[in-house]
Amino acid sequence: MVNERLNSANPSFDLKYRRKKNAEEMKHQVITFAMMIFFTLIAFAAVGFDFSKWFIKPVILLLAVVQVIFQLYYFMHMKHKGHNTIALFLFSGLAVGLLTVLTFLTIVWW
Amino acid sequence: MSTYAKKQGFGATLWDYLTTVDHKKIAILYLIAGGVFFVLGGLEAMFIRIQLAIPNNDFVSAGFYNEILTMHGTTMIFLAAMPLVFAMMNAVVPLQIGARDVAFPFLNSLGFWLFFFGGLFLNLSWFMGGAPDAGWTSYASLSLHSPGHGVDFYILGLQISGLGTLIAGINFLATIINMRTPGMTYMRMPLFTWSTFVVSALILFAFPPLTVGLVLLMFDRMFGSNFFDVAAGGNTIIWEHLFWIFGHPEVYILILPAFGIFSEILATFSRKRLFGYSSMVFATVLIGFLGFMVWAHHMFTVGLGPIANAIFAVATMAIAVPTGIKIFNWLLTMWGGSVKFTVPMLYAVAFIPSFTMGGVTGIMNAVAPADYIFHDTYFVVAHFHYVIVGGVVFGLLAGVTFYWPKMFGTMLNETLGKISFWTFLIGFHLTFFIQHFLGLMGMPRRIFTFLDNQGLNTGNMISTVGAFFMAFAVIVLVINIIITSVKNVKVGNDPWGDGRTLEWAISSPPPYYNFKQLPLVRGLDAYWVEKMDGKTEMTPAEPLGDIHMPNSSILPLTTSLGLFVAAFGALYNMDDDKTWTVPVIIIGLLITLGSMLIRSIKDDHGYHIHKEELTDDHDKGVKA
């Protein structure tokens, strides 16, 4: 996204800055990718080591949420500028969905 | 293509409308289709009132009454109010934000045709073995046991038209976010555009639950699953939740555009800036937000428990706060203004007390313990007709009158409009005010007749008389439209004389490419700002250049037609003796998927109107 926001058609415009940005971006992506793999390993390990269900379930769900955030913000570039509207609608939709789930869990089924 | 085009034959005009992707023509299509369904739903309402005029009436049978009642509700909400709201949005919003068209013109057309074929499918049920008879809410405990195919028509028809609505909603979101003209910041958008924006977001989030509910109901009825079948371990309450998670935002989807229209009208004819613009925006967004947390107030008597009932009761009452903000802002807009009582303004002024009465009974219904008394009586019928007719229908009648010159270039007759207004207003209060008391006296909803000597005779008779007043008003409106169209006296840009927003800065009707050069917006009420600076037109924000236009296409129609055809196969597939159903499903889906395939593989880059053609096109026809 950062790289596409150019005012100049000249490909070597601001090349140094863009190189640096790209390198940084790459670093972030590699770190998050490594962490996501690590989280997956933890999730498998938690099940493998036969801990209490009351420990495993929340931990796996928590790791899943973190992974989704990584996915959205680092791999799908939501951390870049110009994604405010997208974030607004994403989280509003999430709120409506979770509210529905909450209702079903509290007053429909149990 | 051009609105200035030379006379063309009927066939050419028809083909033009069938293939159009122009938001102004799609608005007219929505208006015609919505208007026809409105008259149809009105006829059903008249049958209801005739049946209930006297005790022990046998004008219609009990079973047929159920069908009329169901179709009245379903038609009015899904097939009349929604498309008429979309007609207003399509006609006005792109002009108000200075856009060339909506973001996805092709999808705009697809949305219309899906709605149209869904509505047609639903109404064909009358001729194909009986209409749905389980109420517009189609509660699963009832609809699962409804014999015949009525409820299947409801499920498939609404599924198809709901798809169209969802597409249209997303389209308006993309349009308003991305296509505002230079200078048109969010806080300079006219209130109607703001309400369209919020409503589109509500559509985006509210229609999926309906889709899910309808799919589950379809599986229960057609494929023998048991999602809602209590006897087989299902849970019928799930349908009620899914339906109302959609259904409550749906009523805000209807009323918010009416609020937007009234905000425009009140500011225009008070010749004053809308009072408290930013608080109006805030209130609109807040109503949209709260609209998602109150659905269970339709289900107080289901037995959700005191805690759930209390939460939803309080949340419901909270909605009165932003709505109150709006009411006071409208009053203060008129306060000290130089008010001109045109027909749209009359509707707007009458709307404020009428809608407030509906709001007050809404708060009464929101009190969960009291709702145990009101539930399923005519009190509720009176309440929601006060908000829907007093709010939405007044809003649409006002909007149609107000924007008629912008859509067709002619002015509706004021005298006939005033006759319509007064008879409609009197008829409306006559019909529904008395129903509050009928409800409190214990008359239940949805009954097809009542007994003599129960004190219900006079009230019902008064109500029926009021319904005839409203029917008369609509007939006068139709006559007015016909007279105006035949006379065809063209008017200029700003026929009301006090237009404030961008749409009045362009000719009526606008050329098919809208603004020749995107206008520069320098403040709220952009056109008014220019007028106050002594100018007669907007300052352009860009040099004159080529305009990129989309090509017309028949594919939206064929895509929708395919689903329409397939729906007949799907509907009769559950009958064991019909072998033709599977081929029909396949043919229908082939039409749809084939159209989608053509759309995908055919490069359609549209065309350009060249600068030279635009330089002076005032009199000569512009070739599209």
Side-chain angles (χ1 to χ4, degrees), chain A residues 85 89 92-93 100 103-104 108, chain B residues 173 177 205 235 238 241 245 295:
Chain A
T85 326
F89 278 88
S92 316
T100 311
T103 312
F104 276 60
V108 180
Chain B
L173 281 177
I177 292 172
F205 296 136
N235 188 342
I238 294 175
H241 277 290
I245 290 172
W295 77 86

Side-chain angles (χ1 to χ4, degrees), chain B residues 506-520:
Chain B
I506 194 168
S507 64
S508 317
Y512 61 100
Y513 46 78
N514 292 359
F515 288 96
K516 202 182 286 180
Q517 294 156 284
L518 292 185
L520 179 69

Side-chain angles (χ1 to χ4, degrees), chain A residues 85-86 88-97 99-104 106-109, chain B residues 173 177 186 197 200-201 204-205 209 235 237-238 241-242 245 292-293 295-296 304 308 312:
Chain A
T85 326
I86 295 169
L88 174 71
F89 278 88
L90 205 77
F91 289 115
S92 316
L94 192 68
V96 174
L99 196 63
T100 311
V101 172
L102 182 70
T103 312
F104 276 60
T106 50
I107 58 177
V108 180
W109 288 324
Chain B
L173 281 177
I177 292 172
Y186 278 111
F197 185 55
S200 304
L204 178 65
F205 296 136
N235 188 342
I237 304 298
I238 294 175
H241 277 290
L242 287 174
I245 290 172
F292 275 101
M293 345 211 135
W295 77 86
L304 303 174
F312 282 105

